[in-house]
Amino acid sequence: MSTAISKPTSESSSVRHLVTLFDVRRDEVIDILRIARVLKDAFERGERHPYLPRRVLGLLFQKQSLRTRVSFESGIAHLGGSSLFLGQDVGWEDRESIADFASVLSQYVDIIVCRAYSHERVTELAEYSACPVVNGLTDLAHPCQALADLFTVEEAFGSLSGAKLAYVGDGNNVAASLALACGLLDVELRVACPPGYELPLSFLEKVRNHVGNVRFTATNDPREAVRGANVVYTDVWTSMGQEAEEESRKQALANYQVNKELMKHADPDAHFLHCLPARRGEEVTADVIDGPNSLVVEQAANRMHAQKGLMAWLLKADI
Ligand code: CP
Ligand code: NVA
């Protein structure tokens, strides 16, 4: 295996980012998930091939994280690279401009994962970075989650072609990336959110413009969304950064809980997904998330496999 590493510059058009899934085409998502499958199958056979030897991943996180941080750190280690978790002491918020920060950091590392409150932060980081920047969650998007979600659905059914997904709850970052991922991979998705908490129409229009025909329906009625669905997905009602709205959100979303009664309207064998962390008794009841049809642990495990596929794809490993 060749170990020569060429370091692109910020002017280089060969640098790709994943700030949102709008950064990738359908065939590219399929390729990322294909690589993820190859790597997961190898991992399950006990093989950890160094496809990214000595590559360095930098992680910049403004919010808490278990899954995103640890799955990226473990994933790059499996592939023969290493990671740096960068705290506030690197001064990326107000010590210097994002342009200076990104230009310099990207000379030291090969890939940057950033979790930020403001989406613009990650967009700006990517603009000035000489290496790929991956969004590890912002207020608007969670693209790595959506890659793992569809990888999990494909794994559950053997194919995405018969999957009918329903998302019930807040029209948030996770819902937005899920909708775009479903659009890219031509998966049917019905979304039920309360009035005022829907995915923005401008965003849905942008999805349609990016992928063409989408099999997407929006409603305010959770029963209508889950009818006949073979996957039911939800997320927390109050995302990180929205804590001040917690009480009003609980009221607005009270009728959007995924519980056994709602699951009766879905396919009898419907799987349950949740990006985690979850609040049992709020967006989902314990009997559903801890029940036999819940795939939440597999879904969380797949964060690592999907992101290994993503890193290998972004850094052009030969897989
Ligand atoms: N689902 C997810 O992104 O989890 P973390 O916040 O723990 O990274
Ligand atoms: N919507 C949640 C997802 C956490 C993984 C949040 O942004 O906090």
Side-chain angles (χ1 to χ4, degrees), residues 17-24 119 122-123 133 135 138 140-143 177 180 203 206:
H17 304 289
L18 189 76
V19 176
T20 69
L21 288 165
F22 288 116
D23 291 332
V24 282
H119 188 77
V122 183
T123 306
V133 170
N135 180 346
T138 61
L140 297 187
H142 198 1
S177 291
L180 179 48
F203 169 77
K206 203 174 159 193

Side-chain angles (χ1 to χ4, degrees), residues 86-92 95:
L86 304 169
Q88 302 289 13
D89 50 329
V90 292
W92 71 292
R95 186 160 171 259

